[in-house]
Amino acid sequence: MVLEHWGSSGFANTDLDLQLKKHGIHQLIVTGLIAHTCVEATVRYAFELGYEVTMVRDATADYSDVEMHAALDVNIPNYAAVVTTTEIVDSIASLWPKKH
């Protein structure tokens, strides 16, 4: 269980990094609220810790289009791949063999 955080990042002042590493997780898919603060801070922190980060554009929200643009089109692409839900679902589905 991850401890609750009190900062902008989901990593700051929590044991999230420890829990992920304990389970051998090194790739993260991030969604959430608010894109230009909490989400962006979490993505940056994850990148700095060495995680491979994917941000899901249409599973994220913000107060305005301007703030969404700043986060998802300007800042976050420096730290993560930015994809759609369709792209991430297709990518995950391709990991499992197709049933005949």
Side-chain angles (χ1 to χ4, degrees):
M1 183 165 106
V2 177
L3 302 174
E4 182 178 355
H5 71 96
W6 49 267
S8 292
S9 169
F11 286 93
N13 302 303
T14 73
D15 64 342
L16 179 57
D17 183 44
L18 173 69
Q19 294 298 328
L20 293 170
K21 288 182 176 162
K22 186 164 93 174
H23 295 286
I25 297 169
H26 59 87
Q27 296 173 311
L28 304 179
I29 299 170
V30 179
T31 66
L33 304 167
I34 299 297
H36 78 282
T37 57
C38 298
V39 173
E40 187 175 330
T42 299
V43 167
R44 285 179 186 230
Y45 208 129
F47 175 81
E48 291 171 359
L49 291 170
Y51 290 94
E52 181 182 326
V53 186
T54 302
M55 178 77 232
V56 185
R57 172 182 297 280
D58 53 341
T60 304
D62 210 319
Y63 298 117
S64 73
D65 290 342
V66 170
E67 291 160 330
M68 281 287 283
H69 170 72
L72 297 176
D73 298 324
V74 178
N75 295 331
I76 291 175
N78 294 303
Y79 307 97
V82 180
V83 301
T84 65
T85 53
T86 300
E87 291 170 318
I88 201 71
V89 168
D90 290 347
S91 178
I92 293 169
S94 73
L95 299 174
W96 281 275
K98 296 191 189 292
K99 294 181 181 180
H100 298 314

